[in-house]
Amino acid sequence: MELQWPLILFTTLTAWGCGVLGGAGALALKGAGKKSQQLLAIVSCVLLALGGIAVFFHLQHWERIFNGFGHITSGITQELIAIVVFVVIAVAYFVMARKSDDGGTLPKWMAWVAIAISVVLAAVCAHSYMMPARPAWDSVLEVLSIVGAACLLGPATCAVVLAAKGEDADACGLPAVAGSAIGAVCTAAYAAFIQMSAGAFSQVGYYFDPTHPTKAVADAAATAGAQAPLLWLGAVVVGAVVPLAVCVLARKKGDAASWKLFGGVAVVAALIGAVCLRVAFYNVGLSVFMFY
Amino acid sequence: MTHYAIATDLNRCVGCLACSVACKAMNNVPVGDYWNKTLRVGPNPKADGCGTWPDVEMYFLTVQCQHCKDPECVKVCPTGASHIADDGTVQIDKSKCIGCQFCAMSCPYGVRYLNTEERVVEKCTLCEQRIAQGELPACVAQCGGRARFFGDLDKGIDSFEAPWVVDVTEGDPSYDKTEHTRITLKECVQEYKQSDVHHLPDVGNDPSFVYILRDRDWQGEE
């Protein structure tokens, strides 16, 4: 199907926002990054807001957005609810950090709540796309790929913010390396699933659609195969292996300058990878009966 | 409970596209959109043939919204705009639609279109404006091969109806008489076995439309 750029941006920015709040929560558990906690909560909300703006370019009747709360079992309604809950928790997180004596200490339960809602929102946003009609999308690995994107983007962003604020960015070292590793595994697993999805489409042999006489015959195997550069070079190598490698490198060096540089490289590479994965996702998003 | 659907005898379909054209004309379907398409499936080698011409077979497959019993589009619609109507058909309340297009993504058959002028998703309504007053859907009424039949699934497809020849020598050949002179599927088509009855691929949506294909291999999963 056609690339849905507003949705590509929304999903990527939402994953990024979730990763940042989740990363902030991980730091709060260790009692680290106190000078950055308020900023990280704001950054997560800004990213989510940017994603929201992007998605409004997809909705044809955005003025009816509140109708979107009308069907509790639909994925989009659940997304909207999760977004509202996320914002409420992020605001509460910010307020609690601000009200603490040092401006950055949070109770452990709040840190866990922030991590939990980050995982839930990323998963719920991805889950909306799990549709039996689209074989390349209908996998829990698709959900994990978005959660993985959050793991890749969030802790690395937190490390850059900590380094920029003059804090001990190495406190974010383990979350960044672990997040990158989780993200790399999730991304590679979903890339492999997409490549193997070709056999799940209905086949009718030769066919002809008189309304599109010059259109090539739909070929799921060729479409899935054509995504290999985007998936393996873009999403896996650039989007997952590079962030993992530079986070490991930054953790070895351990100084703020390294985290500023390598953390920034990790974020940019992970963003490129996340977009590549979503582009491949839409390219191979054929319906099971792909001849109409 | 009523569950309206269409049964198409693919052995009778000649691929004239009258159903597709009638649909566009009746429902003012925008240029580039098709609520009803006629695909040619094949020519494909016959199962027990030499693998090349003349041992090949083909059929025409009319595809539109299948008015599923458990429609994916209704499941994903966040507003309730896509819903199952009392007559069992799947309809869209355009005033509720936010244009998220997830229904179009979730449809296994790709039969939903975004109307870029109204900015809402549209599809085959089974000509609800016609069936509500006892008429046949335009694609059934205009079928050039008398291959399409409309009726209530709960009463069985043998009871489905198509237009029949109006005897103009008797009485007034009025519009009403034309509209209500009909023949049932059982009276009209050749005998078929249960194994000749097919559906489009089912991914849990349970498509309602029925296709009858005899003496040829149905292509694709069901």
Side-chain angles (χ1 to χ4, degrees), chain A residues 58 60 64 71 134 206 292, chain B residues 34 42 77 97 100 105 119:
Chain A
H58 173 77
Q60 300 295 311
R64 300 177 187 165
H71 187 190
R134 308 260 164 187
Y206 290 110
Y292 191 79
Chain B
Y34 304 93
C77 178
C97 179
C100 68
M105 296 181 203
R119 295 179 291 137

Side-chain angles (χ1 to χ4, degrees), chain A residues 6-289:
Chain A
L7 295 182
I8 291 171
L9 292 176
F10 169 70
T11 316
T12 306
L13 290 166
T14 302
W16 195 0
C18 289
V20 170
L21 190 66
L27 287 172
L29 281 178
K30 294 163 67 176
K34 292 188 176 180
K35 279 196 256 174
S36 306
Q37 286 291 352
Q38 292 177 35
L39 179 59
L40 290 173
I42 292 168
V43 168
S44 70
C45 285
V46 168
L47 289 169
L48 198 61
L50 290 173
I53 291 168
V55 87
F56 267 52
F57 283 93
H58 173 77
L59 294 181
Q60 300 295 311
H61 276 288
W62 53 264
E63 77 282 4
R64 300 177 187 165
I65 184 68
F66 290 108
N67 286 359
F69 289 96
H71 187 190
I72 191 72
T73 55
S74 82
I76 293 182
T77 301
Q78 290 167 354
E79 271 185 56
L80 286 172
I81 293 169
I83 287 169
V84 170
V85 175
F86 182 95
V87 171
V88 168
I89 289 172
V91 169
Y93 190 95
F94 173 81
V95 170
M96 289 178 87
R98 191 168 181 79
K99 284 199 167 178
S100 66
D101 294 337
D102 55 8
T105 301
L106 287 133
K108 280 210 165 53
W109 66 265
M110 191 62 199
W112 279 116
V113 168
I115 293 169
I117 190 60
S118 300
V119 174
V120 167
L121 178 56
V124 167
C125 283
H127 181 257
S128 296
Y129 295 93
M130 276 183 67
M131 301 172 180
R134 308 260 164 187
W137 297 4
D138 195 29
S139 168
V140 71
L141 294 175
E142 188 270 326
V143 175
L144 291 177
S145 75
I146 299 296
V147 176
C151 293
L152 277 159
L153 287 161
T157 305
C158 292
V160 174
V161 170
L162 260 63
K165 293 274 274 182
E167 291 196 272
D168 177 20
D170 216 32
C172 215
L174 183 61
V177 171
S180 302
I182 292 168
V185 170
C186 293
T187 304
Y190 186 49
F193 177 80
I194 287 180
Q195 293 274 263
M196 292 187 293
S197 65
F201 295 88
S202 189
Q203 301 289 338
V204 297
Y206 290 110
Y207 74 96
F208 177 71
D209 175 359
T211 64
H212 291 109
T214 57
K215 196 175 171 185
V217 171
D219 185 345
T223 306
Q227 307 313 309
L230 271 176
L231 291 170
W232 299 107
L233 189 61
V236 175
V237 174
V238 176
V241 176
V242 168
L244 178 59
V246 293
C247 284
V248 169
L249 203 60
R251 192 161 186 238
K252 271 193 179 169
K253 298 212 171 200
D255 57 290
S258 297
W259 273 112
K260 269 187 204 167
L261 174 65
F262 293 127
V265 170
V267 171
V268 172
L271 275 175
I272 292 169
V275 171
C276 286
L277 188 63
R278 298 314 278 179
V279 169
F281 171 87
Y282 282 105
N283 283 341
V284 81
L286 304 167
S287 61
V288 66
F289 185 82

Side-chain angles (χ1 to χ4, degrees), chain B residues 144-160:
Chain B
R146 195 165 284 123
R148 288 164 78 79
F149 299 83
F150 167 80
D152 181 359
L153 268 182
D154 294 345
K155 293 177 182 166
I157 60 170
D158 282 346
S159 70
F160 281 26

Side-chain angles (χ1 to χ4, degrees), chain B residues 12-216:
Chain B
R12 292 181 68 96
C13 178
V14 294
C16 66
L17 311 188
C19 55
S20 303
V21 175
C23 173
K24 292 218 47 138
M26 178 57 63
N27 296 296
N28 196 25
V29 179
V31 173
D33 295 359
Y34 304 93
W35 293 4
N36 179 6
K37 267 191 188 180
T38 309
L39 303 176
R40 189 196 73 205
V41 176
N44 287 310
K46 287 182 180 175
D48 50 359
C50 67
T52 58
W53 189 86
D55 289 342
V56 293
E57 61 186 21
M58 54 172 264
Y59 57 88
F60 294 99
L61 181 68
T62 54
V63 184
Q64 63 206 90
C65 173
Q66 302 289 298
H67 294 274
C68 309
K69 292 173 189 161
D70 194 11
E72 295 294 326
C73 53
V74 171
K75 286 182 206 165
V76 302
C77 178
T79 67
S82 284
H83 63 281
I84 299 176
D86 291 341
D87 60 6
T89 61
V90 177
Q91 302 294 349
I92 301 170
D93 181 345
K94 291 184 181 179
S95 67
K96 286 185 181 174
C97 179
I98 58 174
C100 68
Q101 300 157 68
F102 267 56
C103 56
M105 296 181 203
S106 72
C107 174
Y109 317 115
V111 296
R112 286 177 165 244
Y113 286 90
L114 176 70
N115 180 327
T116 51
E117 197 172 309
E118 293 185 50
R119 295 179 291 137
V120 293
V121 171
E122 294 180 330
K123 64 164 192 78
C124 159
T125 63
L126 214 48
C127 287
E128 64 171 338
Q129 74 278 28
R130 287 171 60 87
I131 63 176
Q133 52 187 352
E135 298 181 354
L136 294 168
C139 58
V140 174
Q142 299 299 324
C143 176
R146 195 165 284 123
R148 288 164 78 79
F149 299 83
F150 167 80
D152 181 359
L153 268 182
D154 294 345
K155 293 177 182 166
I157 60 170
D158 282 346
S159 70
F160 281 26
E161 292 178 331
W164 186 238
V165 181
V166 178
D167 184 356
V168 293
T169 62
E170 281 187 20
D172 173 27
S174 65
Y175 178 82
D176 194 52
K177 183 177 177 183
T178 307
E179 274 298 321
H180 293 97
T181 304
R182 296 180 183 173
I183 187 169
T184 64
L185 182 143
K186 186 176 175 62
E187 294 166 331
C188 185
V189 308
Q190 289 181 339
E191 272 191 38
Y192 60 91
K193 300 188 291 285
Q194 200 52 44
S195 57
D196 298 327
V197 176
H198 305 279
H199 297 88
L200 290 188
D202 180 3
V203 294
N205 47 304
D206 201 355
S208 299
F209 279 26
V210 174
Y211 298 93
I212 299 170
L213 182 67
R214 308 168 199 81
D215 310 322
R216 288 175 219 175

